[in-house]
Structures are given as C-alpha cells and as structure tokens.
C-alpha cells in the first residue's frame, strides 16, 4: 500500500514504521493518523511480522504533536471525532498483540508523547523531549495522555506536566520509567533494531499473552489479574512453542519458535 505521510519496511520479522513529515516535525494530521492505522493493521494481520519499530523522520522530532493547523479549524463535533480517532489508534497499538517499540528520536510532544505512551516499549535518544503542551494552546490532551500518563507516573507529575505544558528531558523520562533506555542519537536506531531482533526470535503467542496480561491485568484488582495470568499461562502451555522451548532447554540447544 502506498502511503504519503509514513514510510514502512519489513524484514526478518521486523516492521519499521517511520512518520515522515520532517518539515512539520512529523506532526500528526488526519491523513497521517489514518495511514498509521492502516500500517498497524497490516502489521497485526501479517503472521511474518513479530515486532514493530515506530519512529520519526529526521533528527529533530519523533512527533511534535497533532497538527495544530488542523486543530485550529475544528468545530467541537469534529474535535470529538478527531480525539476519538487518535484514541482509537493508541488503543490499536497498545492491543496489537505484538510488541511495538517506540524509538523516540527527538520531540515527543502532545500527540507524539501520547503515541509513545501507547507503545509497550520505549527507547529514547538523549535529545528527546517528552511533554503535553496542549495547555499552551488553550486545549488539553485528547489522544489518551491524561489517562495513560497518570497510570504511569501518578497524579502529581501528570498534573505538573499537563498544567504547565513544560517538557521533560529523556533522562527525567527514564527516571520516571517512561522510557526504559536512553541512547545517543547516533545509537538509537541500531539499539531499537537490536531489541527488535531479540523479540523477533521470541515465542509470539507467549509475547501476546504477556502484553495482554501486563496491559490489562494491571488495571484489575490483584486477584483478577492473577486469575488472568494463570489462564493465559495455561494457554501458553497448549502451544507447540511451549514444547519446543522447554525441550530445547533440556536438550541444550537454541529454541526455534514458530508461533504455533
Ligand atoms: N503542528 C503543526 N505544525 C507543527 C507542529 C505541530 N504540532 N510542530 C511543529 N510544526 C511545524 C512548524 O509550524 C514549522 O513549520 P513551518 O516551517 O512551515 O513554519 C515546522 O514544524 C518547524 O517547527 P518550528 O517551530 O520552526 O521548530 P522549532 O525548533 O523552532 O521548535 C518545537 C520546535 C517542537 C518546540 C515547536 O515546533 C513547537 O512548539 N511545536 C508545537 C508543539 C505542540 O504544541 N504540540 C502539541 C500539539 S496539540
């Protein structure tokens, strides 16, 4: 499928999706949101794809937010639809059933920060900045930022970031566990690829169940989360990959997982 605002490539079980509007710091206009939805749907449906890397084009920005020139023209009804479309994309990424690595290579502001928060794994370059600056435009986050950030870093930091609109550095984001690793700009993409290569060799069904249990179980009371865990653990044990993984260990050889 030909895209105008994003680049996609796939090899060795890894799909790379690059938001490609560098002259607008990769701002998310409506067309870009729709194209991202299509690209993630393709990645979800393609059994060859085990892991996705999401990044931005250029050296300055991951995504500098939703496209302000489009927001400027929205009516309230259109704004509701726009917000729901963005929220839907974030849910699609979160529930893809395959790990998505955000390689945050610069500004991750507004919708860009929300996009990164929806990715199960986040790596950043040392020039990355995370922020929800919507308040400076007289609006508030609309792609899930108020809800995901508070679940990750608590109310005090979420309110500080959303009420002031001031961004935080990659190092602070790491201290807050918003990103798992910070690399130099030169290293980021290679490190994201290295992580993706590791995940591309992992058992896909077990990865899907881990993603689901951590994502959804953590919103449940502990006993319900544990119940979910034991059911999905049992499902893992019905797979060929469980036999392969455990047998390979006992036979002292590398496992070859097929996703069955
Ligand atoms: N929507 C639309 N266009 C955007 C954009 C956005 N969210 N963020 C940046 N751009 C555009 C700029 O308008 C500019 O376009 P132009 O060259 O046609 O004028 C281009 O990207 C480069 O941005 P510029 O502001 O010149 O870069 P900078 O290095 O001086 O500043 C930022 C970088 C990220 C600090 C600044 O662009 C910014 O504050 N962006 C908006 C962030 C935001 O509020 N996001 C939330 C939106 S809901």
């Amino acid at each position: 499928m030909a895209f105008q605002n994003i680049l996609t490539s796939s090899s060795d079980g890894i799909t790379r999706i690059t938001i490609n509007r560098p002259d607008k710091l990769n701002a998310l206009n409506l067309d870009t949101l729709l194209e991202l939805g299509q690209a993630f749907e393709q990645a979800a449906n393609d059994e060859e794809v085990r892991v996705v890397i999401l990044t931005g084009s250029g050296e300055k920005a991951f995504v500098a937010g939703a496209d302000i020139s489009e927001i400027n023209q929205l009516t309230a009804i259109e704004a509701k639809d726009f917000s729901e479309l963005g929220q839907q994309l974030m849910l699609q990424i979160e529930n893809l059933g395959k790990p998505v690595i955000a390689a945050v290579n610069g500004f991750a502001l507004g919708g860009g920060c929300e996009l990164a928060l929806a990715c199960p794994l986040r790596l950043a370059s040392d020039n990355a900045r995370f922020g929800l600056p919507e308040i400076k435009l007289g609006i508030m986050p609309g792609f899930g930022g108020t809800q995901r950030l508070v679940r990750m870093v608590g109310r005090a930091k979420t309110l500080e970031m959303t009420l002031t609109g001031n961004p935080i550095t990659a190092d602070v984001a790491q201290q807050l566990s918003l990103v798992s690793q910070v690399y130099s700009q030169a290293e980021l993409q290679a490190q994201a690829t290295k992580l993706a290569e590791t995940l591309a060799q992992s058992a896909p069904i077990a990865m899907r169940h881990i993603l689901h249990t951590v994502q959804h179980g953590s919103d449940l009371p502990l006993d319900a989360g544990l119940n979910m865990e034991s059911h999905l653990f049992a499902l893992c044990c019905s797979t060929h990959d469980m036999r392969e993984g455990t047998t390979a260990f006992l036979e002292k050889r590398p496992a070859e997982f097929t996703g069955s």
Side-chain angles (χ1 to χ4, degrees):
M1 189 175 292
F3 295 117
Q4 305 301 315
N5 301 283
I6 63 174
L7 305 170
T8 62
S9 63
S10 293
S11 65
D12 302 323
I14 303 168
T15 288
R16 182 180 292 271
I17 301 175
T18 305
I19 299 157
N20 189 33
R21 303 183 72 214
D23 55 326
K24 297 292 176 193
L25 302 186
N26 304 320
L28 298 174
N29 60 4
L30 182 60
D31 287 346
T32 307
L33 289 173
L34 293 173
E35 289 185 9
L36 283 171
Q38 289 166 8
F40 276 104
E41 192 179 343
Q42 280 175 14
N45 292 338
D46 185 344
E47 279 185 19
E48 299 286 307
V49 176
R50 300 277 183 95
V51 51
V52 179
I53 298 173
L54 178 64
T55 194
S57 199
E59 298 199 340
K60 210 167 159 184
F62 174 69
V63 167
D67 193 313
I68 297 169
S69 66
E70 288 189 351
I71 292 176
N72 178 256
Q73 301 298 317
L74 292 177
T75 65
I77 299 291
E78 289 166 346
K80 179 86 165 34
D81 289 346
F82 185 65
S83 169
E84 286 177 357
L85 181 75
Q87 289 179 353
Q88 206 51 48
L89 173 66
M90 307 309 155
L91 286 170
Q92 184 187 357
I93 293 170
E94 212 165 49
N95 296 316
L96 200 71
K98 303 175 184 190
V100 180
I101 302 167
V104 181
N105 57 315
F107 290 114
L109 302 177
C113 183
E114 291 167 306
L115 188 59
L117 296 183
C119 296
L121 294 161
R122 273 157 263 130
L123 310 178
S125 55
D126 50 15
N127 66 322
R129 295 289 178 275
F130 294 80
L132 293 171
E134 288 87 347
I135 190 71
K136 297 184 183 187
L137 304 169
I139 53 175
M140 62 181 283
F143 292 173
T146 61
Q147 299 308 299
R148 286 197 179 80
L149 191 63
V150 76
R151 284 165 170 74
M152 293 177 186
V153 303
R155 286 188 195 195
K157 198 69 194 174
T158 299
L159 287 170
E160 182 191 305
M161 287 177 67
T162 50
L163 293 178
T164 67
N166 293 336
I168 57 172
T169 63
D171 285 340
V172 172
Q174 188 176 24
Q175 285 161 23
L176 292 169
S177 297
L178 280 182
V179 297
S180 51
Q181 301 289 342
V182 178
Y183 299 105
S184 70
Q185 277 180 271
E187 270 186 305
L188 175 69
Q189 300 300 341
Q191 291 292 343
T193 303
K194 196 171 157 192
L195 175 58
E197 285 168 352
T198 302
L199 299 180
Q201 299 304 315
S202 296
I205 296 172
M207 283 202 297
R208 185 167 77 227
H209 293 330
I210 290 169
L211 286 163
H212 184 89
T213 312
V214 172
Q215 175 62 34
H216 298 287
S218 56
D219 286 336
L220 297 173
L222 182 63
D223 57 349
L226 292 173
N227 188 261
M228 176 188 282
E229 185 186 72
S230 60
H231 277 87
L232 291 178
F233 176 80
L235 272 186
C236 285
C237 290
S238 72
T239 63
H240 168 81
D241 280 346
M242 171 275 207
R243 298 278 168 235
E244 166 63 9
T246 52
T247 305
F249 175 83
L250 295 171
E251 293 175 353
K252 302 188 187 305
R253 61 171 174 82
E256 282 192 30
F257 295 115
T258 57
S260 57

